[in-house]
Amino acid sequence: MNFTRWSARLPGTQRRAAARTDGSPTGSAPESSVPAARVERPTDAGPPAPAVDELPVREVLDRIPALVALVHGPDHRLSYVNDAYVAAFGVRPPGEPARDALPELAEVGLLPLLDQVLRSAKPRTVKSRKAPGGRSYTFTCTPVEVEPASGEGGVLIFAADVTDHAEAAERLRASERRQRETAVTLQRSLLPQELEEPDDLRVAATYLPGGTETAVGGDWYDVITLGGGRTALVIGDVMGRGVRAAAVMGQLRTAVRAYARLDLPPHEVLQLLDGLAMEIDANQIATCAYAVHDPNEGRLVYASAGHLPILVRDESGNVLRADEPTGPPLGTGGWMHSSGSVPLGPGSTAVLYTDGLVERRDEDLDEGIASLERALAGATGTPQVVCDRLVRSAGVKADHDDDVAVLVLQHPARTGADRELFRNAALELLGGVEAAPRARAFASGVLTSWRFPADLHDLGVLAASELVANSLQHGTPPMRLRLRRTDRRLIIEVTDGDDHLPRRRRAEAADESGRGIAIVATITSNWGSRRTPGGGKAVWCEFALPRPT
């Protein structure tokens, strides 16, 4: 190959040649140019260094540590490879098409790029391609005029070794993957491994971390059985990503479970969480929705700290958005939260979710919630089926850019034999001490009609009698006795107008009172008390029913 014939065609050479032959005197510059700085040359200095244009091109290319190859023609026939190229891939036969002479370029997908460069006469670069042998190179392909007479063009291929940079980048990506896997593992370990199963509700939940390039967030959910047939449902989202967000989420979830055991109204639970969130990290905020379902009331009482609205689909398919009341996120402080309620009767489905399900960069948030409402309106089946359908309708995929948590609960409409297992009975306790024998007679008749065995019947009557006696002695009207059975337990509850909660204590031998709650706690599976929203209290106890064999 005659290198002197195409060396003058390399980029920049023609401009320098034009500058020498533009008619300007040698060594002078145009009037408008900035004068060059003078350099004092020692008197004993040797001859001046040759100009760049006078250097032999092949000798220069042979000494370049980067890989250089020259191809020409539509088949990209090999004209030249420098010594570095030979050292990297071996001797290459000149005159052969690149697909045969340079198979390493075919393996890194460079041959189509040569066609583009030849057609467009514009240079192209591809970064960090791993070549055979394990080294990584950045390839720059530059068009050159190889045969001036025939007009046949060529491509100069310049490959810089970037193996160290590629390996460093891969180590960084591997470190990020390990950190993400750690965060995902922590996140999943802090979420409930199995959801509690309330008697009156069917529940399902889904958690999907963001895509592999996204750090995991702090989304969480929980289902907490409160006793007395009531169930607490929680969903939240800690702002931020990574291990820190997951750790804060774990602390908040643990605190919610502890506060839920106090059987407080939803807004009081959020008030406590708000203070705790500020103690954990004043710069870390979180949204949360906390709701309580009472099958006796047929409503979902909830409070929201900056979280997205709960959606409820009734048995007719109409969807209600529970927008208000909503306070600021947890960790902001200085706000008094309040509770609201939404109907959740038999046949209804409610959905609690995080923003990853409905928020998109190119779409308003209200549009995302409206789309979820439409999907929920047509969603039927079990809670898990509804959960999966909502996720699919939202277009959530493996490369989704945010975490997604969804909690679906259904209050099924009981029919047939199943309906016989879920029964309610209530008695208003009117009058004075004569209300006690009426309550015992009522409890005995109800338990007999529900066909409970004799031992459970007697224990149920005793528990009802003790709770009523306690309410008559320490409470105020109005008073009510309520019995409820499910497929798993018998629940006895007494409400009155006094908000002083009873506690279990040890009665001395000479005490005439103080044994009622102790007796109830001894004979039942569980008992508790809570303040009711309108003032007053409710004291309840449960008996576990034997499983059918």
Side-chain angles (χ1 to χ4, degrees):
M1 182 66 185
N2 186 355
F3 284 93
T4 59
R5 188 166 60 183
W6 62 265
S7 64
R9 307 295 179 180
L10 287 173
T13 304
Q14 294 179 350
R15 292 194 301 272
R16 291 190 294 271
R20 293 195 305 271
T21 58
D22 62 356
S24 301
T26 304
S28 63
E31 293 182 0
S32 61
S33 63
V34 179
R38 292 185 176 181
V39 179
E40 297 294 337
R41 185 180 299 278
T43 56
D44 58 347
V52 174
D53 295 334
E54 299 173 4
L55 294 176
V57 174
R58 176 158 190 159
E59 182 178 349
V60 172
L61 296 180
D62 280 343
R63 295 184 180 182
I64 292 177
L67 280 57
V68 178
L70 178 69
V71 296
H72 69 94
D75 293 335
H76 309 299
R77 296 184 178 274
L78 180 62
S79 298
Y80 164 78
V81 292
N82 70 347
D83 293 343
Y85 200 107
V86 173
F89 298 114
V91 178
R92 294 293 182 256
E96 296 292 327
R99 69 175 60 90
D100 300 324
L102 305 172
E104 57 278 356
L105 300 187
E107 291 193 28
V108 298
L110 207 64
L111 296 184
L113 189 67
L114 298 180
D115 294 332
Q116 295 178 20
V117 171
L118 199 61
R119 288 194 305 268
S120 65
K122 294 180 180 180
R124 296 285 189 274
T125 298
V126 292
K127 296 182 178 181
S128 191
R129 295 286 180 90
K130 182 170 287 189
R135 308 293 293 180
S136 296
Y137 298 90
T138 291
F139 293 89
T140 299
C141 301
T142 304
V144 295
E145 189 176 338
V146 178
E147 298 288 349
S150 64
E152 186 178 74
V155 179
L156 181 69
I157 304 165
F158 184 90
D161 192 330
V162 293
T163 304
D164 292 342
H165 296 284
E167 291 177 349
E170 180 56 35
R171 287 194 296 270
L172 179 60
R173 285 192 293 269
S175 176
E176 292 175 346
R177 285 194 298 269
R178 287 193 296 269
Q179 292 181 8
R180 183 180 183 280
E181 290 170 359
T182 300
V184 170
T185 301
L186 176 61
Q187 174 88 348
R188 291 193 181 279
S189 66
L190 294 174
L191 290 174
Q193 303 304 304
E194 290 185 4
L195 293 178
E196 295 185 19
E197 298 180 358
D199 293 0
D200 293 272
L201 296 177
R202 292 184 295 180
V203 295
T206 295
Y207 169 73
L208 299 173
T212 55
E213 301 300 323
T214 305
V216 68
D219 295 15
W220 93 91
Y221 55 83
D222 210 346
V223 177
I224 309 166
T225 52
L226 301 178
R230 303 165 75 246
T231 306
L233 305 122
V234 193
I235 196 158
D237 185 0
V238 177
M239 304 303 175
R241 299 182 181 278
V243 174
R244 178 59 181 168
V248 172
M249 177 275 290
Q251 295 178 76
L252 291 178
R253 176 177 174 257
T254 302
V256 169
R257 294 192 69 86
Y259 295 149
R261 298 304 178 191
L262 301 176
D263 218 340
L264 300 172
H267 65 276
E268 293 189 23
V269 172
L270 291 190
Q271 210 70 49
L272 293 172
L273 277 179
D274 185 37
L276 177 65
M278 295 183 65
E279 294 179 8
I280 294 174
D281 188 342
N283 298 319
Q284 191 83 52
I285 63 174
T287 64
C288 180
Y290 181 89
V292 175
H293 176 257
D294 188 337
N296 295 318
E297 304 295 335
R299 302 188 69 81
L300 193 66
V301 181
Y302 67 92
S304 175
H307 204 77
L308 298 173
I310 300 171
L311 302 182
V312 177
R313 175 186 182 273
D314 63 20
E315 57 183 347
S316 301
N318 301 316
V319 177
L320 173 65
R321 183 188 300 191
D323 280 319
E324 298 293 341
T326 299
L330 303 175
T332 55
W335 181 268
M336 294 300 295
H337 292 273
S338 58
S339 296
S341 67
V342 62
L344 188 72
S348 299
T349 300
V351 179
L352 293 79
Y353 52 95
T354 57
D355 57 1
L357 185 67
V358 295
E359 190 173 31
R360 301 293 180 270
R361 294 179 181 177
D362 57 347
E363 186 178 77
D364 185 76
L365 181 60
D366 283 337
E367 294 180 7
I369 298 175
S371 298
L372 183 62
E373 289 178 343
R374 291 190 293 271
L376 177 60
T380 57
T382 66
Q384 189 60 59
V385 170
V386 173
C387 217
D388 296 340
R389 181 170 180 176
L390 296 180
V391 170
R392 286 196 305 270
S393 68
V396 178
K397 300 179 181 178
D399 58 350
H400 196 62
D401 61 358
D402 196 4
D403 290 18
V404 174
V406 185
L407 178 62
V408 175
L409 57 136
Q410 290 180 343
H411 186 186
R414 311 290 180 179
T415 58
D418 193 26
R419 186 174 183 177
E420 295 298 317
L421 298 177
F422 291 80
R423 305 285 294 274
N424 283 281
L427 173 68
E428 300 293 334
L429 299 175
L430 303 175
V433 294
E434 67 273 11
R438 287 202 304 270
R440 285 193 294 271
F442 174 78
S444 178
V446 169
L447 297 181
T448 300
S449 68
W450 289 350
R451 299 178 181 177
F452 282 144
D455 56 345
L456 185 55
H457 171 278
D458 294 342
L459 290 175
V461 172
L462 175 59
S465 177
E466 292 296 338
L467 292 183
V468 169
N470 184 77
S471 182
L472 290 173
Q473 182 175 359
H474 302 287
T476 60
M479 302 178 185
R480 169 186 277 191
L481 169 64
R482 174 180 285 159
L483 284 77
R484 176 174 175 78
R485 72 154 297 168
T486 70
D487 59 341
R488 303 177 193 172
R489 71 197 79 223
L490 166 66
I491 303 168
I492 302 173
E493 181 181 82
V494 176
T495 59
D496 63 55
D498 185 78
D499 61 0
H500 178 74
L501 300 180
R503 59 185 179 87
R504 184 179 180 182
R505 65 185 179 89
R506 182 186 297 275
E508 300 297 333
D511 290 344
E512 296 182 359
S513 62
R515 296 178 176 83
I517 295 298
I519 292 173
V520 170
T522 301
I523 65 176
T524 62
S525 305
N526 194 15
W527 80 278
S529 62
R530 70 178 187 280
R531 290 186 174 89
T532 52
K537 66 176 178 296
V539 185
W540 54 269
C541 63
E542 295 178 349
F543 292 90
L545 300 183
R547 292 283 184 176
T549 57

